[in-house]
Short mmCIF file of all heavy atoms in Angstrom, two decimals:
data_model
loop_
_atom_site.label_atom_id
_atom_site.label_comp_id
_atom_site.label_asym_id
_atom_site.label_seq_id
_atom_site.Cartn_x
_atom_site.Cartn_y
_atom_site.Cartn_z
N TYR H 1 63.96 -26.70 43.28
CA TYR H 1 64.59 -27.87 43.93
C TYR H 1 65.98 -27.54 44.42
O TYR H 1 66.51 -28.18 45.35
CB TYR H 1 64.68 -29.07 42.97
CG TYR H 1 63.32 -29.65 42.59
CD1 TYR H 1 62.80 -29.45 41.31
CD2 TYR H 1 62.57 -30.34 43.52
CE1 TYR H 1 61.57 -30.01 41.00
CE2 TYR H 1 61.32 -30.86 43.20
CZ TYR H 1 60.85 -30.66 41.94
OH TYR H 1 59.65 -31.19 41.59
N ILE H 2 66.63 -26.54 43.83
CA ILE H 2 67.95 -26.10 44.29
C ILE H 2 67.79 -25.05 45.40
O ILE H 2 68.53 -25.04 46.37
CB ILE H 2 68.76 -25.51 43.14
CG1 ILE H 2 69.00 -26.54 42.06
CG2 ILE H 2 70.06 -24.94 43.60
CD1 ILE H 2 69.54 -25.97 40.75
N GLU H 3 66.79 -24.14 45.22
CA GLU H 3 66.61 -23.02 46.16
C GLU H 3 65.98 -23.46 47.50
O GLU H 3 66.00 -22.66 48.47
CB GLU H 3 65.69 -22.00 45.53
CG GLU H 3 66.29 -21.32 44.28
CD GLU H 3 65.28 -20.47 43.52
OE1 GLU H 3 64.08 -20.51 43.90
OE2 GLU H 3 65.66 -19.85 42.57
N ALA H 4 65.39 -24.54 47.54
CA ALA H 4 64.66 -25.06 48.75
C ALA H 4 65.60 -24.97 49.99
O ALA H 4 66.81 -25.33 49.93
CB ALA H 4 64.17 -26.44 48.59
N GLY H 5 65.02 -24.48 51.04
CA GLY H 5 65.79 -24.51 52.34
C GLY H 5 65.74 -25.89 52.93
O GLY H 5 65.40 -26.89 52.30
N THR H 6 66.06 -25.95 54.21
CA THR H 6 66.08 -27.23 54.96
C THR H 6 65.02 -27.21 56.02
O THR H 6 64.56 -26.19 56.45
CB THR H 6 67.44 -27.43 55.56
OG1 THR H 6 67.68 -26.38 56.58
CG2 THR H 6 68.59 -27.41 54.61
N LEU H 7 64.59 -28.40 56.34
CA LEU H 7 63.51 -28.57 57.33
C LEU H 7 64.01 -29.05 58.70
O LEU H 7 63.24 -29.20 59.62
CB LEU H 7 62.45 -29.57 56.81
CG LEU H 7 61.55 -28.94 55.71
CD1 LEU H 7 60.71 -30.01 55.02
CD2 LEU H 7 60.67 -27.85 56.28
N LEU H 8 65.35 -29.25 58.79
CA LEU H 8 65.89 -29.65 60.06
C LEU H 8 67.37 -29.28 60.07
O LEU H 8 67.91 -28.82 59.04
CB LEU H 8 65.69 -31.11 60.44
CG LEU H 8 66.29 -32.15 59.48
CD1 LEU H 8 66.50 -33.41 60.31
CD2 LEU H 8 65.27 -32.50 58.38
N ASN H 9 68.00 -29.48 61.17
CA ASN H 9 69.48 -29.13 61.32
C ASN H 9 70.26 -30.09 60.49
O ASN H 9 70.43 -31.30 60.89
CB ASN H 9 69.85 -29.15 62.80
CG ASN H 9 71.29 -28.82 63.00
OD1 ASN H 9 72.17 -29.24 62.32
ND2 ASN H 9 71.49 -28.03 64.09
N MET H 10 70.74 -29.67 59.33
CA MET H 10 71.50 -30.56 58.47
C MET H 10 72.84 -31.03 59.03
O MET H 10 73.24 -32.13 58.77
CB MET H 10 71.72 -29.89 57.10
CG MET H 10 70.51 -29.70 56.31
SD MET H 10 69.83 -31.29 55.64
CE MET H 10 68.21 -31.22 56.34
N GLY H 11 73.49 -30.19 59.84
CA GLY H 11 74.70 -30.62 60.46
C GLY H 11 74.50 -31.79 61.39
O GLY H 11 75.26 -32.78 61.39
N ARG H 12 73.46 -31.70 62.21
CA ARG H 12 73.10 -32.81 63.15
C ARG H 12 72.72 -34.02 62.31
O ARG H 12 73.13 -35.15 62.68
CB ARG H 12 72.03 -32.36 64.07
CG ARG H 12 71.73 -33.44 65.09
CD ARG H 12 70.82 -32.91 66.21
NE ARG H 12 70.46 -33.97 67.09
CZ ARG H 12 69.31 -34.12 67.72
NH1 ARG H 12 68.41 -33.16 67.65
NH2 ARG H 12 69.07 -35.15 68.52
N LEU H 13 71.91 -33.84 61.31
CA LEU H 13 71.45 -35.00 60.49
C LEU H 13 72.69 -35.68 59.85
O LEU H 13 72.78 -36.90 59.90
CB LEU H 13 70.50 -34.56 59.37
CG LEU H 13 70.04 -35.64 58.43
CD1 LEU H 13 69.33 -36.78 59.14
CD2 LEU H 13 69.18 -35.04 57.35
N ALA H 14 73.61 -34.95 59.31
CA ALA H 14 74.77 -35.51 58.67
C ALA H 14 75.62 -36.27 59.69
O ALA H 14 76.10 -37.39 59.40
CB ALA H 14 75.60 -34.40 58.02
N ARG H 15 75.81 -35.72 60.91
CA ARG H 15 76.56 -36.43 61.90
C ARG H 15 75.93 -37.74 62.31
O ARG H 15 76.60 -38.83 62.44
CB ARG H 15 76.79 -35.53 63.13
CG ARG H 15 77.79 -34.46 62.97
CD ARG H 15 78.09 -33.67 64.26
NE ARG H 15 76.96 -32.99 64.86
CZ ARG H 15 76.52 -31.83 64.45
NH1 ARG H 15 77.10 -31.20 63.45
NH2 ARG H 15 75.51 -31.27 65.07
N LEU H 16 74.58 -37.72 62.46
CA LEU H 16 73.84 -38.95 62.77
C LEU H 16 73.97 -40.01 61.64
O LEU H 16 74.25 -41.18 61.95
CB LEU H 16 72.37 -38.66 63.06
CG LEU H 16 72.03 -38.01 64.37
CD1 LEU H 16 70.61 -37.47 64.37
CD2 LEU H 16 72.21 -38.98 65.55
N LEU H 17 73.82 -39.59 60.42
CA LEU H 17 73.89 -40.50 59.28
C LEU H 17 75.30 -41.12 59.16
O LEU H 17 75.45 -42.33 58.95
CB LEU H 17 73.46 -39.80 57.99
CG LEU H 17 72.01 -39.42 57.93
CD1 LEU H 17 71.71 -38.70 56.63
CD2 LEU H 17 71.10 -40.58 58.10
N ASN H 18 76.33 -40.27 59.29
CA ASN H 18 77.66 -40.80 59.25
C ASN H 18 77.96 -41.78 60.35
O ASN H 18 78.62 -42.79 60.11
CB ASN H 18 78.68 -39.62 59.25
CG ASN H 18 78.67 -38.84 57.91
OD1 ASN H 18 78.57 -39.44 56.83
ND2 ASN H 18 78.79 -37.57 57.96
N GLN H 19 77.46 -41.50 61.54
CA GLN H 19 77.67 -42.47 62.67
C GLN H 19 76.89 -43.75 62.37
O GLN H 19 77.45 -44.85 62.60
CB GLN H 19 77.20 -41.83 63.97
CG GLN H 19 77.47 -42.73 65.18
CD GLN H 19 78.93 -43.07 65.34
OE1 GLN H 19 79.82 -42.22 65.41
NE2 GLN H 19 79.26 -44.38 65.38
N LEU H 20 75.68 -43.62 61.91
CA LEU H 20 74.87 -44.86 61.65
C LEU H 20 75.51 -45.67 60.54
O LEU H 20 75.48 -46.89 60.66
CB LEU H 20 73.44 -44.45 61.30
CG LEU H 20 72.59 -43.96 62.54
CD1 LEU H 20 71.32 -43.29 62.04
CD2 LEU H 20 72.33 -45.08 63.46
N GLN H 21 76.08 -45.05 59.56
CA GLN H 21 76.80 -45.80 58.53
C GLN H 21 78.00 -46.58 59.13
O GLN H 21 78.20 -47.72 58.79
CB GLN H 21 77.26 -44.89 57.42
CG GLN H 21 76.21 -44.63 56.37
CD GLN H 21 76.73 -43.79 55.25
OE1 GLN H 21 77.31 -42.72 55.46
NE2 GLN H 21 76.46 -44.24 54.03
N LYS H 22 78.71 -45.92 59.98
CA LYS H 22 79.83 -46.61 60.71
C LYS H 22 79.35 -47.80 61.50
O LYS H 22 80.08 -48.78 61.70
CB LYS H 22 80.56 -45.65 61.61
CG LYS H 22 81.42 -44.63 60.87
CD LYS H 22 82.04 -43.68 61.82
CE LYS H 22 82.79 -42.52 61.08
NZ LYS H 22 83.31 -41.50 61.93
N ASP H 23 78.10 -47.72 62.00
CA ASP H 23 77.52 -48.78 62.78
C ASP H 23 76.91 -49.85 61.91
O ASP H 23 76.30 -50.78 62.43
CB ASP H 23 76.42 -48.20 63.73
CG ASP H 23 77.02 -47.27 64.82
OD1 ASP H 23 78.26 -47.34 65.01
OD2 ASP H 23 76.23 -46.53 65.39
N GLY H 24 76.97 -49.71 60.61
CA GLY H 24 76.48 -50.76 59.69
C GLY H 24 75.22 -50.47 58.95
O GLY H 24 74.76 -51.35 58.18
N TYR H 25 74.58 -49.31 59.19
CA TYR H 25 73.37 -49.03 58.41
C TYR H 25 73.77 -48.52 57.04
O TYR H 25 74.83 -47.94 56.87
CB TYR H 25 72.60 -47.87 59.13
CG TYR H 25 71.89 -48.29 60.38
CD1 TYR H 25 72.52 -48.35 61.60
CD2 TYR H 25 70.53 -48.64 60.35
CE1 TYR H 25 71.90 -48.70 62.75
CE2 TYR H 25 69.85 -48.96 61.45
CZ TYR H 25 70.52 -49.06 62.69
OH TYR H 25 69.88 -49.40 63.83
N THR H 26 72.86 -48.73 56.08
CA THR H 26 73.00 -48.07 54.78
C THR H 26 71.96 -47.01 54.69
O THR H 26 70.91 -47.09 55.30
CB THR H 26 72.84 -49.12 53.62
OG1 THR H 26 71.63 -49.73 53.72
CG2 THR H 26 73.96 -50.13 53.60
#
C-alpha cells in the first residue's frame, strides 16, 4: 500500500482537486 505507484498524473490531479475545493466542492 505504501510502495504502490500512481495511475495518473498526481500533480495535475492535485491542482484540479485544489481548484475544485476553492469552487466549493468537497
Side-chain angles (χ1 to χ4, degrees):
Y1 294 109
I2 297 169
E3 295 170 354
T6 61
L7 286 169
L8 61 154
N9 181 318
M10 290 290 123
R12 183 167 176 214
L13 177 60
R15 286 188 297 280
L16 284 166
L17 293 177
N18 287 321
Q19 183 59 55
L20 288 166
Q21 277 183 309
K22 287 178 187 174
D23 294 343
Y25 287 84
T26 57

